[in-house]
Amino acid sequence: MIDFCSQESKPLLEVEEAIAKILEAMQVVKDHEVVDLKSGLGRVLAQDVFANVSSPPEKNSAMDGYAFSSKDIINGNDFALTLVGTAWAGRPYTDKIESGQCVRIYTGAVLPDAFDSVIMQEHVIVSHKFIHFPATTQPYQNVRKMGEDIALAAAVLEANKILSPIDLGLLASVGVEKIAVKRQIRVAFFSTGDELQTLGQPLGSGQIYDSNRYTLNGLLTDPLYSVSDLGVLPDDPNILEASFIKAAEHYDVIISTGGASVGDADHIKEILTRCGNINFWKLAIKPGKPLAFGKIGNCHFFGLPGNPVAVVVTFHYLVAPALRKLAGLAIAKKLQITATSLSDFKKSAGRQEYLRGILTQDPNGEFLVSSAGKQGSNILRSLSLSNCYIVLPVACEGVNAGDKVRVDLMPSVSII
Ligand code: AMP
Ligand code: MG
């Protein structure tokens, strides 16, 4: 099969090279702000954080049972201790304790100083004020040591970490109320195209609804970014240029869709060349070849193609890593999965192809992948059904069912 789109005079820039160029151009934001712990979710820590208190702050019981001293154990024999009171979570037992005594204790209650051990309530026999311990009683069990999770003043989390729900809990457990996080990346996006109609208006002949702004808005909904939808622009070079120059003064990144190709109504590349700097235009990717990347003033510019699937693929592989680097995150290497293809795929050499797939496992846990449906770059339905990309390298000339293929999970795939 001949890929007419790959008939270029010189080889196209490969995806990995394009990603490297993009990442090289991104400088991590320096500014930070101090926010309440809850507002830190999904933000990037600007400084290391240290514990204000130990966690746990005092030694306490891991079980409902009886607290006692290991000194009262009689090796190899059962023994009885006198019950003198109760330690509740939040209400410690503070009276003096003598040898031969024990205390009823509940999970999370502070262990009285005199004690170092807890026995589960199921393992003792209670008769009035006497608690009978079996010969198998072990010392030092069921006690959570002070600071066993985090010691006072220890480093809890390091700068440049993205804060997860668990991190918020961890920081709360050591008394941290406010945190310094890197500022949000300011992102603006436009759709471009004379054919685009906004939702709520009837479609005239030749018009389609602008779906890209809805997709992009969803893809950019992340605490790392503050996002502005700047609407639809016509295929008018003057309006496009003026709008881009104005937006570039206020944002870290502009994303446009449409008009990045070579048609007479495609102006993005010329505008970027005229009013900014073009880093590259066009790369060996399918879908998404006509992508223009560069800068207008201090603002990074991504001119994505208009086709809805190309927008998503290029966002996932080229824009998202850029935004994450700007935001201060290290770019982790993706988990790569090899799966057996259940479908045939036609392909010609020349571009790295990202196909929409459905990944499953057979009863032995082996990965299987099938096509999620039609693969045209305008077909959003198969993208909506897919849970992975099947990534076919530049040189690949097609896949037969039974072949092994590389699969990347969709960023939105849940683990449960
Ligand atoms: P272009 O990159 O401008 O040549 O557009 C390629 C294809 O994507 C055309 O069929 C456009 O109509 C379509 N397209 C461009 N922008 C959008 C958009 N915002 N929403 C949906 N389809 C679009
Ligand atoms: Mg267009």
Side-chain angles (χ1 to χ4, degrees):
M1 185 193 175
I2 298 168
D3 179 356
F4 288 103
C5 285
S6 70
Q7 306 300 297
E8 297 288 329
S9 49
K10 56 179 181 145
L12 288 167
L13 183 69
E14 295 210 6
V15 176
E16 285 68 25
E17 293 164 349
I19 294 171
K21 277 175 177 284
I22 290 170
L23 292 181
E24 202 191 327
M26 301 294 147
Q27 304 295 327
V28 177
V29 289
K30 294 212 170 58
D31 308 340
H32 69 263
E33 55 182 325
V34 175
V35 298
D36 289 341
L37 189 55
K38 269 189 191 168
S39 311
L41 183 65
R43 304 287 298 272
V44 181
L45 270 182
Q47 294 163 359
D48 296 350
V49 188
F50 300 92
N52 287 340
V53 296
S54 304
S55 177
E58 295 163 275
K59 67 177 173 178
N60 69 68
S61 179
M63 292 285 172
D64 291 336
Y66 293 84
F68 63 101
S69 166
S70 57
K71 292 189 191 122
D72 286 330
I73 295 177
I74 303 169
N75 275 338
N77 280 309
D78 52 3
F79 57 99
L81 301 176
T82 310
L83 182 65
V84 291
T86 302
W88 308 83
R91 268 189 287 151
Y93 180 84
T94 50
D95 288 358
K96 196 167 173 334
I97 289 163
E98 287 170 9
S99 156
Q101 294 181 336
C102 67
V103 159
R104 181 80 171 110
I105 197 162
Y106 294 103
T107 307
V110 170
L111 210 69
D113 281 345
F115 295 149
D116 56 14
S117 310
V118 171
I119 190 164
M120 283 168 76
Q121 61 189 33
E122 293 84 347
H123 292 170
V124 299
I125 296 165
V126 181
S127 59
H128 305 291
K129 284 286 166 195
F130 292 102
I131 310 298
H132 295 270
F133 289 68
T136 51
T137 301
Q138 296 295 317
Y140 317 123
Q141 299 298 299
N142 307 317
V143 176
R144 299 168 176 161
K145 294 194 188 70
M146 174 178 155
E148 75 175 13
D149 189 1
I150 311 272
L152 173 67
V156 187
L157 293 175
E158 288 179 10
N160 301 324
K161 169 148 198 346
I162 192 160
L163 288 166
S164 69
I166 296 149
D167 295 330
L168 299 193
L170 179 64
L171 294 178
S173 75
V174 292
V176 174
E177 216 184 326
K178 293 196 178 284
I179 38 170
V181 293
K182 298 207 188 269
R183 76 157 170 84
Q184 291 179 312
I185 306 302
R186 295 183 284 258
V187 187
F189 59 89
F190 295 92
S191 285
T192 75
D194 288 339
E195 75 279 34
L196 301 178
Q197 178 61 290
T198 40
L199 285 182
Q201 303 295 318
L203 283 184
S205 174
Q207 290 188 316
I208 57 166
Y209 284 120
D210 167 18
S211 63
N212 287 345
R213 280 188 304 133
Y214 290 86
T215 310
L216 275 179
N217 192 64
L219 288 167
L220 288 163
T221 299
D222 188 308
L224 292 175
Y225 318 130
S226 85
V227 179
S228 301
D229 176 347
L230 300 184
V232 180
L233 297 175
D235 290 316
D236 176 323
N238 297 324
I239 295 176
L240 288 169
E241 184 167 343
S243 306
F244 292 160
I245 290 172
K246 187 157 174 255
E249 288 165 15
H250 300 103
Y251 296 96
D252 301 303
V253 177
I254 298 172
I255 303 168
S256 74
T257 67
S261 193
V262 289
D264 288 342
D266 294 334
H267 306 292
I268 300 297
K269 186 213 163 194
E270 282 70 32
I271 292 171
L272 186 56
T273 315
R274 203 164 45 240
C275 67
N277 292 308
I278 196 151
N279 185 314
F280 65 78
W281 176 58
K282 295 212 279 194
L283 63 156
I285 190 170
K286 186 176 179 186
K289 183 175 84 161
L291 184 151
F293 170 64
K295 253 184 146 177
I296 301 175
N298 287 324
C299 177
H300 299 285
F301 184 93
F302 287 90
L304 307 186
N307 272 310
V309 179
V311 170
V312 179
V313 171
T314 53
F315 183 92
H316 279 151
Y317 285 90
L318 300 147
V319 182
L323 296 179
R324 292 172 76 79
K325 177 162 178 201
L326 277 180
L329 290 174
I331 305 300
K333 205 167 156 27
K334 262 198 215 326
L335 284 183
Q336 286 190 2
I337 296 171
T338 300
T340 303
S341 180
L342 300 176
S343 311
D344 297 332
F345 294 104
K346 288 185 179 153
K347 180 183 180 299
S348 51
R351 289 191 280 166
Q352 180 144 296
E353 212 162 313
Y354 295 79
L355 298 157
R356 285 139 267 172
I358 296 177
L359 184 69
T360 53
Q361 282 178 294
D362 72 10
N364 300 321
E366 294 299 318
F367 287 115
L368 307 173
V369 71
S370 55
S371 172
K374 291 187 191 136
Q375 298 288 343
S377 59
N378 58 327
I379 309 281
L380 274 177
R381 171 107 175 113
S382 54
L383 188 56
S384 156
L385 290 173
S386 66
N387 64 0
C388 68
Y389 289 114
I390 301 163
V391 185
L392 304 183
V394 173
C396 170
E397 292 189 315
V399 170
N400 295 317
D403 289 353
K404 298 276 186 205
V405 289
R406 170 184 151 193
V407 162
D408 290 350
L409 289 180
M410 279 289 160
S412 56
V413 168
S414 130
I415 58 166
I416 46 169

